[in-house]
């Protein structure tokens, strides 16, 4: 079986000669839990966006579940996102004024699932993240940690094999962040491949695999606790 | 890996729900931009409704007055000189088979009517003195406001029946005297306005014999009124000129007063077209308002657009979402406008004593116009929203 995520010499260049990602080749297998670590501006989000098919490389290839993203049409790439990938963002991106249940149900809106089924599964997903008692709350009535758990419920409602999280704990205090991480670890042990970007040293060192990046290039994998920790120390 | 990548369909109810949610988040802005559309549609529906109501009123009026009245009068000859109808023309018209009743009036030359003998000559207020046959009223469906009409007996004496406007101008009522043709005539009756014979409204009617005896009237009729069997009106209209003046049929002016009333209505159509044009301009401005609202909405909701793209929305689905939103917004305005326009029509028709008519095609047309406008106004913002790159959209706070 091929790796779930495969990058081959992927490069991302922005206008003004900014090379955000430089000749990156990585392979991430099914069921992995990996962290992308590196200083600010090193290209972590750029990498995650390429893997998430939200953006395409300037050169090189990105293959998700065997599909060469560069070859896919907009419809196909959209279908790939709705079937294979769940996203969790630092800013949650919950729809204001809409209750948690509906926010989570929207996770299946573009998957062709009927509304009743979406709501049923949204309730189950909220239960999975421990928010059964907050289903009818609007985002502004929830704490930061609760909001991120709602966002995670939305990402996992379609049971995607791949979950991408860009600094999911960046806006949370350490207790709430730990809650979110426990949730992600639980999902991973159920088989979901999870890739997260984190600035949190403790979280980073606790992950089974780390992908250090700096200046748009992947760094040689340092033994846990040395290279990565250093990078993060520079940062803070 | 062999998974087929086919995006899920967004069902119509889901599309409507998504569009509604976008509107519900900004109720005031939605209300204001819908109002722009509503004003345009209301104006157009009201213009059409009010003119339809007035036409319906005319139709009912004509139904009670009848459209089978014809008139014939002297025209001009080839040399542009005034001519007159033969004295026996009235009787001859009466002999046309489908003519059920016939009557006539005649302009009494050089006779004027004044309130008193102290009024300077010439200040007639445009009142014409007409000799009238005693059977005039039933033929033209005329009604008396007060007093009596001329009859065989009264028609011999210096008695006068005044048209509605003439009575008003002279300030005269039955039993009073007016100074007519340099002698005193007694007012015996006053007519109600006569829609089919508006020339009588500003006239003073005297008896045929009295006019001949007292006013030097020449006896030539100037307007012949003929009622014909409804189905034969056109046929009668064709032979009327020849019958009234067999020697010079081309010197006879024949007309159908109900047509004249309808023509007057048609003249109002010009004004209606102008008002309709103003309504269309208002509608257009409303459309610009909707486009503006949608453009702003797309700018403000980049984060939402990025999120939806990350959830698997295709460009087409994003486009549909914003188009649906624009359509809902303009439909809201269209329905509101149709409602307001109908209410205005009903209110105005009520105040004029007309039957209120709002033609269904006007409502349907108004709604169709809003739908077209909504799609045009929504198209550009929708395309912009769909073109947004997901990463760019997500990175805006
Ligand atoms: N849309 C863009 N246009 C131009 N340059 C960009 C764009 N997006 C990112 N960059 C640049 O690419 C580089 C990598 O950015 P990226 O967002 O991937 O960094 P990051 O590692 O996620 O940083 P942070 O930890 O601060 O989120 C940066 O130098 C950034 O300025
Ligand atoms: Mg980043």
């Amino acid at each position: 079986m091929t790796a779930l995520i495969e990058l081959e010499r992927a490069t991302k260049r922005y206008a003004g000669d900014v090379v955000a990602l430089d000749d990156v080749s990585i392979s991430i297998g099914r069921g992995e839990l990996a962290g992308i670590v590196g200083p600010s501006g090193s290209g972590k989000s750029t990498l995650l966006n390429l893997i998430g098919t939200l953006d395409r490389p300037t050169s090189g290839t990105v293959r998700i579940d065997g599909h060469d993203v560069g070859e896919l049409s907009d419809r196909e790439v959209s279908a790939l996102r709705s079937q294979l990938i769940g996203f969790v963002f630092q800013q949650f991106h919950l729809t204001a004024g809409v209750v948690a249940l509906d926010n989570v149900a929207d996770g299946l809106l573009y998957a062709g699932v009927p509304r009743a089924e979406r709501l049923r599964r949204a309730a189950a997903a909220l239960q999975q993240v421990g928010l059964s008692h907050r289903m009818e709350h609007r985002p502004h009535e929830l704490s930061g940690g609760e909001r991120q758990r709602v966002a995670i419920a939305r990402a996992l409602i379609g049971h995607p094999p791949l979950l991408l999280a860009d600094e999911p704990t960046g806006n949370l205090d350490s207790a709430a962040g730990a809650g979110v991480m426990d949730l992600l670890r639980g999902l991973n042990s159920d088989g979901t491949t999870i890739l997260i970007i984190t600035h949190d040293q403790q979280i980073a060192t606790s992950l089974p695999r780390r992908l250090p990046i700096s200046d748009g290039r992947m760094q040689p994998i340092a033994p846990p606790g040395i290279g990565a920790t250093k990078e993060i120390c520079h940062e803070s | 890996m062999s998974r087929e990548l086919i995006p899920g369909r967004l069902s119509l109810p889901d599309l409507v729900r998504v569009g509604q949610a976008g509107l519900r988040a900004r109720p005031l802005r939605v209300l204001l931009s819908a109002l722009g559309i509503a004003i345009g549609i209301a104006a157009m529906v009201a213009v059409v409704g009010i003119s339809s109501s007035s036409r319906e009123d005319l139709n009912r009026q004509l139904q009670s007055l009848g459209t089978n009245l014809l008139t014939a009068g002297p025209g001009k000859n080839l040399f542009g000189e005034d001519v007159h109808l033969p004295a026996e023309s009235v009787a001859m018209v009466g002999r046309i088979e489908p003519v059920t009743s016939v009557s006539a009036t005649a302009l009494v030359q050089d006779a004027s009517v004044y309130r008193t003998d102290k009024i300077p000559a010439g200040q007639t207020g445009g009142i014409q003195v007409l000799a009238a046959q005693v059977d005039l009223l039933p033929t033209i469906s005329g009604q008396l406001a007060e007093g009596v009409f001329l009859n065989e007996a009264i028609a011999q004496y210096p008695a006068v029946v005044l048209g509605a406007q003439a009575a008003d101008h002279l300030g005269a009522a039955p039993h009073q005297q007016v100074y007519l043709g340099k002698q005193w005539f007694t007012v015996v009756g006053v007519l109600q306005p006569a829609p089919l014979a508006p020339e009588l409204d500003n006239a003073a009617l005297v008896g045929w014999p009295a006019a001949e005896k007292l006013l030097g009237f020449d006896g030539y009729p100037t307007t012949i009124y003929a009622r014909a069997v409804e189905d034969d009106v056109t046929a009668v209209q064709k032979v009327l000129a020849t019958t009234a003046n067999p020697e010079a049929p081309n010197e006879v002016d024949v007309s159908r007063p109900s047509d004249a009333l309808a023509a007057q209505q048609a003249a109002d159509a010009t004004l209606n077209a102008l008002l309709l044009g103003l309504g269309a301009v208002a509608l257009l401005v409303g459309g610009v308002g909707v486009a503006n609202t949608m453009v702003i909405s797309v700018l403000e909701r980049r984060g939402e657009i990025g999120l939806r793209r990350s959830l698997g929305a295709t460009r087409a689905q994003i486009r549909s979402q914003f188009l649906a939103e624009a359509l809902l917004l303009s439909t809201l305005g269209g329905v509101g406008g149709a409602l307001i326009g109908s209410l205005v029509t009903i209110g105005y028709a009520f105040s004029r004593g007309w039957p209120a008519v709002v033609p269904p095609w006007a409502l349907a047309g108004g709604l169709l116009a809003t739908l077209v406008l909504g799609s045009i106004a929504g198209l550009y913002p929708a395309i912009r929203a769909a073109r947004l790159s997901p990463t760019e959209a997500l990175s805006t706070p």
Side-chain angles (χ1 to χ4, degrees):
Chain A
M1 202 146 96
T2 51
L4 183 59
I5 301 166
E6 238 176 339
L7 269 70
E8 243 173 75
R9 313 204 57 176
T11 299
K12 180 73 193 178
R13 224 175 251 111
Y14 287 109
D17 271 347
V18 180
V19 182
L21 219 55
D22 192 3
D23 203 14
V24 169
S25 300
I26 47 169
S27 168
I28 297 170
R30 285 159 214 279
E32 283 203 58
L33 170 57
I36 302 171
V37 293
S40 181
S42 56
K44 303 184 295 294
S45 296
T46 305
L47 177 60
L48 204 72
N49 286 340
L50 288 190
I51 293 171
T53 74
L54 295 174
D55 213 343
R56 296 175 197 223
T58 318
S59 66
T61 53
V62 174
R63 217 173 269 118
I64 306 297
D65 199 24
H67 299 282
D68 181 346
V69 175
E71 305 278 291
L72 300 179
S73 69
D74 176 68
R75 282 170 55 82
E76 288 169 327
V77 108
S78 302
L80 187 147
R81 277 178 219 141
S82 85
Q83 291 170 15
L84 299 182
I85 308 174
F87 290 90
V88 177
F89 305 98
Q90 182 177 355
Q91 312 88 331
F92 322 130
H93 282 300
L94 298 179
T95 310
V98 172
V99 297
L101 188 70
D102 287 322
N103 259 299
V104 174
D106 268 357
L108 284 174
L109 185 60
Y110 302 99
V113 178
R115 181 168 154 83
E117 170 74 3
R118 293 202 300 266
L119 290 174
R120 201 186 57 71
R121 282 168 68 175
L126 276 170
Q127 183 163 24
Q128 198 178 342
V129 301
L131 284 179
S132 302
H133 57 303
R134 293 283 184 266
M135 288 195 205
E136 297 303 321
H137 282 235
R138 286 159 219 283
H140 69 268
E141 298 162 341
L142 296 169
S143 75
E146 285 171 334
R147 284 183 216 180
Q148 195 58 297
R149 274 146 72 194
V150 171
I152 291 173
R154 181 179 62 196
L156 63 80
I157 185 173
H159 304 302
L162 175 60
L163 201 133
L164 304 176
D166 193 341
E167 299 185 48
T169 60
N171 278 349
L172 307 177
D173 64 23
S174 50
V180 164
M181 281 313 297
D182 286 345
L183 215 66
L184 294 179
R185 280 199 190 86
L187 283 171
N188 176 245
S189 57
D190 290 344
T192 308
T193 308
I194 297 181
L195 204 54
I196 76 171
I197 293 175
T198 180
H199 275 135
D200 187 307
Q201 181 186 343
Q202 239 182 329
I203 292 174
T205 48
S206 72
L207 295 173
R209 180 178 177 191
R210 272 165 301 117
L211 303 162
I213 182 173
S214 86
D215 276 339
R217 290 170 170 276
M218 299 312 291
Q219 299 303 300
I221 296 166
I226 305 175
T229 315
K230 253 191 181 164
E231 293 275 16
I232 291 157
C233 286
H234 281 307
E235 166 93 13
S236 34
Chain B
M1 147 137 199
S2 51
R3 223 186 260 254
E4 274 201 77
L5 295 178
I6 298 167
R9 262 193 75 242
L10 192 61
S11 71
L12 189 63
D14 281 337
L15 184 61
V16 170
R17 198 171 294 118
V18 166
Q20 268 178 348
L23 295 181
R24 222 176 291 135
R26 293 155 190 84
L28 182 64
R29 195 190 296 169
V30 164
L31 210 68
L32 290 177
S33 50
L35 191 63
I37 297 268
I39 289 172
I41 291 292
M44 296 174 85
V45 167
V47 167
V48 173
I50 287 172
S51 74
S52 300
S53 302
S54 122
R55 196 171 318 122
E56 177 63 18
D57 177 63
L58 174 73
N59 287 343
R60 291 193 187 181
Q61 209 179 326
L62 286 180
Q63 214 156 32
S64 72
L65 295 172
T67 55
N68 57 345
L69 181 71
L70 294 168
T71 63
K76 295 190 189 301
N77 67 9
L78 285 176
F79 309 104
E81 298 159 342
D82 287 333
V83 291
H84 57 75
L85 293 174
E88 64 280 11
S89 55
V90 181
M92 283 156 65
V93 168
R95 280 197 288 275
I96 301 175
E97 178 62 26
V99 168
T100 51
S101 72
V102 64
S103 186
T105 59
L107 182 65
V108 180
Q109 305 282 349
D110 307 325
S112 308
V113 56
Y114 303 97
R115 186 201 298 256
T116 66
D117 53 355
K118 308 284 189 297
I119 308 283
Q123 294 190 9
T124 60
I127 303 175
Q128 292 189 321
V129 176
L130 300 177
Q133 296 191 341
V134 293
D135 51 5
L136 179 66
L137 270 201
T139 306
I140 61 150
S141 300
Q143 302 277 331
L144 276 164
E146 45 185 337
V148 296
F149 196 68
L150 305 167
N151 59 29
E152 298 292 352
I154 297 176
Q156 310 286 336
Y157 296 100
V160 60
V161 172
L162 298 173
Q165 200 185 330
D168 204 45
H169 182 79
L170 294 172
H175 311 303
Q176 292 180 352
Q177 304 241 300
V178 291
Y179 196 62
L180 193 159
K182 304 210 165 49
Q183 39 201 307
W184 291 99
F185 273 61
T186 305
V187 176
V188 293
V190 173
L191 296 180
Q192 285 185 4
L196 283 184
E199 64 276 11
L200 299 184
D201 291 348
N202 205 20
L205 306 176
V206 298
W208 206 272
E212 284 173 333
K213 267 187 284 177
L214 305 171
L215 302 172
F217 162 52
D218 56 15
Y220 296 123
T222 49
T223 308
I224 300 175
Y225 299 92
R227 283 272 181 192
V229 176
E230 194 72 54
D231 293 341
D232 296 325
V233 179
T234 334
V236 172
Q237 192 166 9
K238 280 189 187 126
V239 300
L240 199 54
T242 328
T243 314
N245 194 349
E247 274 149 39
N250 57 333
E251 291 172 9
V252 180
D253 286 342
V254 173
S255 73
R256 191 171 175 178
S258 52
D259 285 353
L261 276 181
Q264 193 183 333
Q265 190 96 40
D268 289 349
T270 318
L271 182 66
N272 283 342
L274 187 75
L275 291 173
L276 219 53
L278 282 177
V281 170
L283 191 60
L284 206 66
V285 172
V288 172
V290 168
N292 183 40
T293 302
M294 292 308 301
V295 167
I296 292 173
S297 178
V298 169
L299 287 178
E300 283 177 349
R301 287 157 65 194
R302 295 160 69 109
E304 180 199 323
I305 294 165
L307 170 77
R308 291 185 185 279
R309 295 284 277 146
S310 80
L311 293 176
T314 62
R315 283 207 188 103
Q317 283 166 337
I318 296 292
R319 208 158 42 227
S320 320
Q321 174 186 340
F322 283 91
L323 261 183
E325 213 171 298
L327 280 177
L328 285 172
L329 178 54
S330 57
T331 306
L332 186 72
V335 170
L339 210 69
I340 297 171
S342 303
L343 288 177
V344 167
T345 302
I346 291 168
Y348 189 76
F350 181 77
S351 76
R352 301 290 296 261
W354 295 343
V357 180
V358 179
W361 63 260
L363 296 177
L367 288 184
L368 189 73
T370 34
L371 288 183
V372 170
L373 200 67
S375 7
I376 293 174
L379 197 62
Y380 170 69
I383 288 175
R384 263 185 73 156
R387 285 240 182 100
L388 219 52
S389 100
T391 47
E392 215 178 303
L394 279 167
S395 63
T396 37

